[in-house]
Amino acid sequence: MKLKILIIIFSVFLPTVLISNNVSATNHNEDEHKIWEENFSKCVEQKNSISLFLSIDTSNSMKDRGEKKGSDENGFRWEAFNALYFQLQKLAKETDTTVQIHASTFSTNIKEDNDVSRWNNLAESDFSLDELREYKEFFNVGERGWTDFIKAAEYANSEFESLNSQKTCNLWVFVTDGEPYIESGKQKEDEIKNAIQPLKNKGTFIYGINLYNPEALATERVEAISDMKNYLGVSSS
């Protein structure tokens, strides 16, 4: 029963909680998500272990810049993951399924916090809700800058490298509000896909979430969502 609850949280609760606010799209359509959910459930039942890595965008467009509102003014990103983290921690202590979680932010650079930016076995951790809320500023403000998809993918892959991917179900949750722009311009599609491919080669389950800015032009939103789906894909290779 507890294993089933864990599967439900990852495959249903996570996207539902996030989409209930201002999330515009994921890299899954309805049919793709059903297949993804079935495959993820089979993986968890087989390996009895889940390793979740969160990459959270803290680029400049997330906050109010004066002339335009930010995509996540109220810091919903960490509120949602805060609830997820706490609930998974409780469930991990009541099941024999190993649940690990690791979270970091990305913009121009990768930012870490020593307590949550490492693999935490949730059966052994003991964060209170108040303690988790202390990280809200870090995950919602972070370092202002660009939106470097490549660094986010490479960092996630390097952290998964420290695990035995044959014995755990890797899940990468990638949260952004836009497109991959750095100081030199838009990152190239083939370079982004090359950075993501090692994750797919490991059989990593990928869930991309786009928090587009409500003040952005419709054409910009469509392009950003389409690009995210193209870069991330749905299935592992």
Side-chain angles (χ1 to χ4, degrees):
M1 178 63 70
K2 294 301 180 182
L3 174 58
K4 199 69 176 178
I5 292 173
L6 285 170
I7 293 170
I8 289 171
I9 285 181
F10 276 105
S11 61
V12 179
F13 176 75
L14 175 60
T16 300
V17 167
L18 289 168
I19 290 171
S20 68
N21 196 268
N22 59 336
V23 172
S24 65
T26 72
N27 61 318
H28 297 196
N29 62 36
E30 186 175 350
D31 291 337
E32 290 169 340
H33 181 72
K34 288 179 181 177
I35 297 171
W36 185 94
E37 181 181 336
E38 289 174 3
N39 290 337
F40 185 70
S41 297
K42 289 177 183 177
C43 182
V44 177
E45 289 168 353
Q46 177 185 357
K47 297 184 178 181
N48 208 33
S49 175
I50 303 166
S51 298
L52 166 63
F53 188 93
L54 310 175
S55 293
I56 302 176
D57 185 349
T58 55
S59 59
N60 194 49
S61 54
M62 283 291 189
K63 296 292 284 185
D64 189 344
R65 291 166 289 166
E67 74 280 4
K68 182 185 289 187
K69 290 184 178 179
S71 302
D72 188 18
E73 287 291 309
N74 298 319
F76 182 73
R77 284 158 291 166
W78 185 244
E79 289 292 342
F81 289 119
N82 179 38
L84 177 67
Y85 201 115
F86 185 71
Q87 291 301 320
L88 285 177
Q89 181 179 253
K90 289 174 60 179
L91 289 169
K93 299 180 188 305
E94 302 170 8
T95 179
D96 60 356
T97 300
T98 300
V99 184
Q100 299 182 93
I101 191 167
H102 186 319
S104 72
T105 70
F106 73 96
S107 57
T108 303
N109 297 301
I110 302 295
K111 296 289 285 186
E112 299 176 297
D113 183 282
N114 288 336
D115 289 331
V116 292
S117 297
R118 59 185 173 85
W119 289 113
N120 280 306
N121 185 330
L122 295 186
E124 300 171 356
S125 66
D126 195 27
F127 286 105
S128 68
L129 274 174
D130 285 340
E131 286 173 330
L132 286 170
R133 290 190 183 105
E134 291 177 4
Y135 298 103
K136 181 177 179 179
E137 188 74 5
F138 171 76
F139 281 93
N140 287 320
V141 177
E143 179 187 14
R144 294 291 149 216
W146 300 95
T147 309
D148 196 326
F149 281 26
I150 292 174
K151 279 186 181 176
E154 289 177 341
Y155 182 67
N157 183 60
S158 70
E159 293 304 300
F160 280 126
E161 286 281 358
S162 66
L163 306 174
N164 187 336
S165 60
Q166 298 302 312
K167 295 184 178 180
T168 187
C169 301
N170 292 338
L171 172 60
W172 182 38
V173 177
F174 176 81
V175 183
T176 186
D177 73 331
E179 295 196 80
Y181 277 94
I182 56 177
E183 189 172 4
S184 60
K186 189 172 182 179
Q187 293 178 302
K188 295 179 180 179
E189 177 181 334
D190 61 337
E191 293 178 355
I192 297 171
K193 288 183 174 180
N194 286 341
I196 292 172
Q197 191 59 46
L199 290 160
K200 293 187 175 186
N201 292 344
K202 292 182 178 65
T204 303
F205 291 87
I206 298 175
Y207 206 99
I209 297 166
N210 196 299
L211 289 154
Y212 71 66
N213 193 311
E215 294 190 1
L217 295 174
T219 53
E220 293 176 352
R221 296 197 297 266
V222 169
E223 182 179 2
I225 293 165
S226 175
D227 282 351
M228 183 189 70
K229 292 178 179 178
N230 180 34
Y231 301 143
L232 299 183
V234 176
S235 303
S236 57
S237 64

